[in-house]
Amino acid sequence: MPFTLPLGAKAPDFCLAGTDGKVYTLASFHAHPTLVIFFTCNHCPYVIGSDEVTRKTALKYSDKGVQFVGINSNSKETYPEDAFDHMVERMKTQHFPWVYLYDETQDVAKRYGALRTPHFYVFDKNRALVYCGRGVDSPRDVSKMTINNLDQALEEVVQAKSITTPLTNPIGCNVKWKGKDAHWMPPEACDLVR
C-alpha cells in the first residue's frame, strides 16, 4: 500500500520550478493562513473535467487567505504532454488562479504520498494536514457532482471549525511514475513527516 501523508502531519518542504519562471518552496506561501497543495497534470480527464470547479473554489477563497498550488509529478516519459513546456502553455491559455509547479524527480509526490490526479491536501496556518482526498465526487463529469468536499473543507477551515469529513478517497488517474515501479515508495518517506 503506497504511503500517503496522514492527517495532522506537517507539509513536507519542496523546491520546485513554476510555470511563471520562479522557484518556490513551502516558505514562499507563508503569508497565506491556508494552503491547498494538489497533485495535477495536463492530460488526465479527471483533472480536465474538474478544472473549472477547482478554479471556482480557488477564486471563492482567494480573498480569505487560501493559496492554491498545483504540482505536476507525472513522468513525461509516460505522457509527453505532461512535460514542463506543455505546463507553461496550459497556464498561458487557461490562466488558472494557482501556482503550477513541476516535480520532475517525483520526490515531492513520494513525500506527500500522492496517489492520483487530482489529489488535494489542505494545510492550516501551522501547515498541519486537515483535509486530504478528492475535490468533488464526480471529477470526470461534474454535471453528476453531488458534493464538493474541498469547498466544504475550506469553508470550515476559514471559519476555524473542525473538518466534518477530513479524509476522502481521491478520484482520478494514477500518478504516472517513472519506470515499472508504479507504486514504489522509499522507506525513508515515512520518516520525512515524523
Side-chain angles (χ1 to χ4, degrees):
M1 185 72 182
F3 166 78
T4 302
L5 202 66
L7 291 171
K10 295 289 186 179
D13 203 358
F14 51 79
C15 183
L16 299 173
T19 56
D20 57 3
K22 299 176 183 177
V23 174
Y24 293 86
T25 65
L26 192 63
S28 303
F29 308 103
H30 69 90
H32 302 273
T34 306
L35 183 64
V36 178
I37 292 178
F38 65 108
F39 291 84
T40 183
C41 65
N42 299 330
H43 85 276
C44 172
Y46 294 88
V47 168
I48 295 168
S50 58
D51 264 339
E52 289 309 309
V53 173
T54 305
R55 182 199 298 272
K56 288 178 185 176
T57 304
L59 291 173
K60 177 180 177 181
Y61 294 98
S62 63
D63 63 348
K64 297 179 181 178
V66 180
Q67 172 68 50
F68 275 63
V69 178
I71 299 177
N72 175 17
S73 301
N74 275 0
S75 168
K76 63 184 178 184
E77 283 79 26
T78 307
Y79 275 91
E81 58 264 49
D82 282 333
F84 186 72
D85 56 335
H86 294 295
M87 292 172 57
V88 172
E89 191 57 38
R90 191 156 191 263
M91 288 298 279
K92 282 181 180 176
T93 58
Q94 298 294 329
H95 304 289
F96 289 124
W98 50 75
V99 176
Y100 196 14
L101 308 180
Y102 189 37
D103 177 26
E104 186 171 12
T105 66
Q106 303 188 314
D107 286 343
V108 177
K110 289 170 183 173
R111 290 180 191 179
Y112 280 75
L115 300 175
R116 302 193 179 277
T117 54
H119 190 165
F120 294 87
Y121 297 75
V122 178
F123 297 94
D124 65 13
K125 62 183 178 182
N126 299 315
R127 294 303 179 252
L129 183 65
V130 295
Y131 174 80
C132 182
R134 68 192 185 192
V136 301
D137 62 349
S138 181
R140 189 165 184 160
D141 182 0
V142 294
S143 69
K144 298 177 181 176
M145 178 180 78
T146 63
I147 188 168
N148 185 331
N149 294 100
L150 179 63
D151 181 87
Q152 182 184 58
L154 288 174
E155 186 66 40
E156 292 170 338
V157 168
V158 298
Q159 293 182 25
K161 295 179 179 178
S162 58
I163 308 300
T164 304
T165 308
L167 192 63
T168 59
N169 287 324
I171 302 171
C173 300
N174 290 328
V175 172
K176 304 304 186 242
W177 302 107
K178 294 177 182 176
K180 297 179 181 177
D181 297 328
H183 298 293
W184 177 83
M185 284 288 160
E188 64 272 14
C190 294
D191 297 329
L192 291 169
V193 294
R194 284 182 180 149

